[in-house]
Amino acid sequence: MEPLVSLRNVALSTPSYSILQPITLTIEAGSAIAIIGPNGAGKSTLLRVLATLAPPTEGEGEVLGARLGSREVLEVRHRVGLAGHVPALASRLTLRENLAFYARLSGISADRVEPALEAVGLASARERRAADCSAGMRKRADLARLLVDDPELLLLDEPTDTLDRSARVIIDQLIQRSVNKGGAAVVVSHDRVNLGENIHRTYTLENGTLA
Amino acid sequence: MTGFWLQARVLARNELLVDRRGGETFGLVLPFAVAALIMIPLAVGIDQPMISRLGLPAFWVVTLLFGMQIAWHQTTSTDRAVRDQVRLSGLDPAAGFVGRAMANLTLLVGFMSASLVLTLLLYSPATIENWPGFTAALVLFAIGLSVISTLIADLTLGLSVRAGLAPLLVAPLALPLLFAGSRVAELSSEAAISRPGGILAWLLVLVLVDLIGVIAGVLSARPLEETLG
Amino acid sequence: MKPDHVPMKLKLLYAVTALVVISGAVLAVSTPPEAVQRTYARILHLHVPSAWLAFLAFGVTALGSVMWRLRRRFVWDRLAASSAEIGVLFTGLAIATGAIWGRPVWGVFFDWGDARMASTAVMFLVYLGYLALRRYSPSPEVAADRASILGIVAVIQVPLVYFSVNLFRTLHQTQSIRPDGSTMDPSMVAALLVNLAAFTLLYVSFLAARMIIAREEARLVAALPVAGAAVISPPGLSDA
């Protein structure tokens, strides 16, 4: 079976500095990996490459069968779910409106929004504007978005930041769902302690180099 | 994956909702335009015939200069996390351009309506005798400006000097709209029934600029999206 | 560029260009004064070739932009950018010389009612914006991608500016040299043609020099050591 992700000497640099040194990485279906590293190691950038949002400047790779840096990625992006450092919420819209917007854009029924918000404990806050929510609430709403999307490739950037222990169960559930249905999950963190129990393999990323 | 037009409509509705909540167009841009429309006759003085002559030209200029700013506040392009998620939702970049332009157009029509009413009240310009022609010019102007400002907003996304650079690019590219719109207004104010061909030619100029803008925007949407990184 | 780094072919080009430019200048000065405009007409030997050079330059910018989109090789982007810089310079020169000529002849430096003047000023602004867009783009690839789109769209202005004198009958005269003949004295036509050739050679010379400089700039940037690790990890955190 084809791996979900295959990177071969993929690197990313700007004219001024190098962000990622050549990385070779394979992620099989049904697996969950973690990448840990200090600040500035390139973890978020690596996630953006995996999300097909940042084309590599060197090397080759495929994500969900689409060649990185080609227009093929436009066909697979809707199968990728990314929860970045900053929750993807328009501050003036309510939590429900934000999630419904993304759902409709993806062709998913907006009926899935309310159960997802309920699953993350935000049912009573669904009509609250994102700007009026705490950082933890916005993070939960971002995770609810992933529950609505139910992506094949799940990418989580420092998912436990700002979340209490009860919310971390949601992350474990998200990872388990992806893995069980033949997808994959990638979690990046600066801290091994908060990775959860579903991780099959851990890599370190330091100075743009994966080990 | 969702259809092109459905994606464009979903995006447009979202932008309109965000603008309504934040009040940029009617709470920020329009007041500045109103102030400009009031200041001009005050600067001219008591020469009422001149003020009347200045009315519609002032309307077009104010619409162009302030109307272009409507495109600058769109969250689906300015907020990086939101922009990333919109891309990951499988949005066709061309549908994104069309959706944003549609939202701009809707806001611009409202903006222009308010500005025009104020212009007619404050300046008492010559009576418009050919309202169908003039209305067509208004609509085509709005389409052209919304398309050009959306294209330039996309071209300048992420640049540190975006706020200053964009008017430098939009204003010159939109000048044919200004020119044609002014000529239609002029011809609509005379006994224009005797020279319908004159208006038609200028309306065609507006149509041409609109078409060029739409084609340029749609064709450049994907290449531009690839530069976002 | 140091003289010993300049290829022989380029030195020859510069020499020929200098010769033709000097010839053009001599001819411009030695032609008899124009019947109505007298000696003011001589500035047209600067004005008309500047405008022609601007049209040529922006056309080449569009070509370079199209080729970048098709081939994605930086040589095309350098061509587009270098040509645009030269085009902006000579558009400015055309506007300035036109204004200097217009004041004594038409009574105004600049007449916004004249379609050629107004459209040229607009074209100048657009390409200034093109250069600014390149200057403030975060990377060479982004600059090339975004500027190429603008370079292709903006070239529509070139035929509009050129034919504006035919579409709108205002102050600016229509073309003096046409396929069916000329309205100018033959000696003036000869001087103008020589100056057109001189400016064309000048354009090619400037373009060649600018592209060499751009190529060296790109090499210099590529040869810089990458900054590498911006953050040094504290001890103990790197243990897997």
Side-chain angles (χ1 to χ4, degrees):
Chain A
M1 194 172 166
E2 291 279 334
L4 255 51
V5 172
S6 174
L7 305 183
R8 298 177 295 284
N9 293 315
V10 159
L12 201 150
S13 57
T14 74
S16 313
Y17 56 88
S18 166
I19 307 172
L20 291 176
Q21 301 293 339
I23 286 175
T24 296
L25 175 68
T26 302
I27 304 175
E28 302 288 347
S31 65
I33 69 164
I35 300 173
I36 61 166
N39 298 325
K43 304 187 299 294
S44 297
T45 304
L46 178 57
L47 273 195
R48 291 183 68 77
V49 172
L50 293 174
T52 74
L53 294 174
T57 50
E58 285 170 46
E60 292 175 341
E62 292 85 30
V63 170
L64 299 175
R67 270 179 310 123
L68 289 176
S70 77
R71 291 191 176 171
E72 294 168 15
V73 301
L74 293 175
E75 305 300 317
V76 303
R77 274 189 181 150
H78 65 286
R79 293 157 60 193
V80 177
L82 171 67
H85 249 306
V86 177
L89 301 169
S91 56
R92 291 183 204 148
L93 299 184
T94 65
L95 300 182
R96 183 188 56 76
E97 285 167 343
N98 268 292
L99 268 56
F101 166 59
Y102 294 126
R104 288 194 192 102
L105 211 53
S106 307
I108 297 170
S109 168
D111 293 341
R112 288 166 62 159
V113 169
E114 301 225 6
L117 285 171
E118 201 169 319
V120 300
L122 290 175
S124 57
R126 64 181 179 275
E127 296 305 333
R128 206 188 283 195
R129 294 192 188 185
D132 298 333
C133 297
S134 69
M137 290 170 73
R138 288 198 295 274
K139 194 80 171 188
R140 285 183 184 232
D142 222 25
L143 296 178
R145 174 176 54 75
L146 294 175
L147 285 173
V148 172
D149 278 350
D150 199 17
E152 206 171 320
L153 178 63
L154 181 67
L155 307 170
L156 302 172
D157 193 346
E158 310 278 5
T160 55
D161 267 5
T162 72
L163 287 182
D164 56 37
R165 284 200 183 279
S166 65
R168 290 173 193 181
V169 170
I170 306 164
I171 296 165
D172 288 337
Q173 287 172 354
L174 274 169
I175 295 172
Q176 202 54 52
R177 261 168 72 152
S178 263
V179 166
N180 287 348
K181 68 173 200 178
V186 179
V187 180
V188 303
S189 177
H190 58 273
D191 189 344
R192 286 187 74 76
V193 172
N194 295 315
L195 291 178
E197 294 158 4
N198 299 320
I199 303 300
H200 302 131
R201 186 166 176 184
T202 302
Y203 296 85
T204 55
L205 184 66
E206 197 167 342
N207 301 335
T209 303
L210 195 72
Chain B
M1 291 265 281
T2 327
F4 181 99
W5 288 107
L6 182 58
Q7 285 187 328
R9 279 202 309 274
V10 167
L11 195 74
R13 267 206 296 267
N14 194 68
E15 289 293 355
L16 290 173
L17 182 58
V18 171
D19 187 274
R20 186 159 59 99
R21 292 272 169 82
E24 264 94 19
T25 299
F26 297 101
L28 182 66
V29 178
L30 184 60
F32 269 99
V34 167
L37 286 171
I38 291 171
M39 297 290 170
I40 293 168
L42 288 175
V44 168
I46 56 171
D47 188 344
Q48 185 57 49
M50 178 176 288
I51 290 171
S52 294
R53 278 199 309 275
L54 277 176
L56 289 176
F59 163 74
W60 291 118
V61 169
V62 163
T63 299
L64 196 156
L65 289 179
F66 292 97
M68 73 169 76
Q69 295 176 37
I70 293 171
W72 262 231
H73 302 286
Q74 295 184 315
T75 353
T76 52
S77 48
T78 54
D79 184 315
R80 192 186 191 180
V82 171
R83 192 169 75 226
D84 283 347
Q85 187 47 44
V86 166
R87 291 167 76 192
L88 286 175
S89 297
L91 176 75
D92 182 330
F97 170 80
V98 169
R100 285 192 296 278
M102 278 162 53
N104 277 341
L105 176 62
T106 308
L107 293 169
L108 198 52
V109 166
F111 173 87
M112 285 171 73
S113 303
S115 303
L116 182 63
V117 166
L118 194 65
T119 304
L120 295 175
L121 289 171
L122 289 178
Y123 291 76
S124 302
T127 313
I128 303 286
E129 295 189 28
N130 186 345
W131 272 104
F134 185 65
T135 307
L138 287 172
V139 171
L140 290 170
F141 184 100
I143 293 171
L145 184 59
S146 63
V147 158
I148 290 171
S149 43
T150 303
L151 172 62
I152 298 303
D154 288 351
L155 259 182
T156 55
L157 195 61
L159 303 189
S160 56
V161 293
R162 189 183 192 225
L165 184 58
L168 180 65
L169 292 170
V170 175
L173 288 174
L175 272 174
L177 297 174
L178 179 73
F179 201 64
S182 303
R183 298 289 83 75
V184 171
E186 213 175 288
L187 294 169
S188 299
S189 302
E190 302 165 359
I193 313 301
S194 62
R195 287 171 57 194
I199 288 182
L200 207 56
W202 290 114
L203 289 176
L204 281 174
V205 168
L206 289 168
V207 169
L208 189 64
V209 173
D210 291 359
L211 272 174
I212 291 171
V214 168
I215 291 168
V218 166
L219 290 180
S220 60
R222 274 196 183 186
L224 275 177
E225 208 256 11
E226 287 161 20
T227 69
L228 290 176
Chain C
M1 239 185 332
K2 292 182 184 169
D4 52 326
H5 290 168
V6 179
M8 181 50 72
K9 275 192 275 193
L10 215 50
K11 286 184 189 174
L12 199 59
L13 172 66
Y14 294 159
V16 170
T17 301
L19 215 62
V20 181
V21 167
I22 292 168
S23 308
V26 166
L27 280 173
V29 164
S30 59
T31 51
E34 202 265 346
V36 174
Q37 298 167 20
R38 311 303 298 166
T39 201
Y40 295 119
R42 296 190 205 282
I43 205 167
L44 294 179
H45 295 294
L46 261 182
H47 174 73
V48 173
S50 297
W52 147 249
L53 197 156
F55 296 156
L56 173 66
F58 296 144
V60 170
T61 294
L63 174 70
S65 301
V66 168
M67 293 308 294
W68 161 260
R69 295 238 64 88
L70 293 174
R71 295 286 153 82
R72 297 195 77 79
R73 290 187 58 212
F74 274 105
V75 63
W76 295 113
D77 179 58
R78 287 196 288 272
L79 177 69
S82 306
S83 195
E85 282 182 11
I86 299 166
V88 165
L89 176 68
F90 281 89
T91 307
L93 188 62
I95 292 173
T97 49
I100 293 168
W101 177 82
R103 183 72 173 104
V105 175
W106 292 340
V108 287
F109 283 117
F110 202 93
D111 180 1
W112 283 104
D114 180 70
R116 174 66 71 82
M117 274 191 231
S119 53
T120 304
V122 168
M123 186 173 72
F124 181 64
L125 286 177
V126 171
Y127 281 97
L128 269 181
Y130 171 95
L131 294 178
L133 182 67
R134 295 193 66 94
R135 167 77 176 79
Y136 291 105
S137 289
S139 74
E141 289 85 1
V142 171
D145 277 330
R146 296 189 184 190
S148 64
I149 291 165
L150 189 57
I152 292 167
V153 171
V155 80
I156 291 163
Q157 295 175 100
V158 170
L160 283 177
V161 171
Y162 183 74
F163 289 110
S164 59
V165 291
N166 305 102
L167 295 172
F168 309 102
R169 300 278 169 196
T170 53
L171 273 179
H172 218 106
Q173 63 198 66
T174 55
Q175 294 86 352
S176 300
I177 300 173
R178 292 191 289 267
D180 60 345
S182 166
T183 57
M184 291 166 61
D185 183 87
S187 63
M188 289 183 185
V189 173
L192 189 59
L193 289 175
V194 169
N195 277 293
L196 281 171
F199 272 64
T200 306
L201 285 170
L202 208 54
Y203 166 74
V204 176
S205 304
F206 283 169
L207 187 65
R210 186 63 185 93
M211 283 188 68
I212 291 173
I213 293 169
R215 188 188 63 202
E216 294 307 313
E217 280 172 346
R219 279 189 186 155
L220 206 64
V221 169
L224 285 172
V226 289
V231 174
I232 301 167
S233 60
L237 267 184
S238 59
D239 298 327

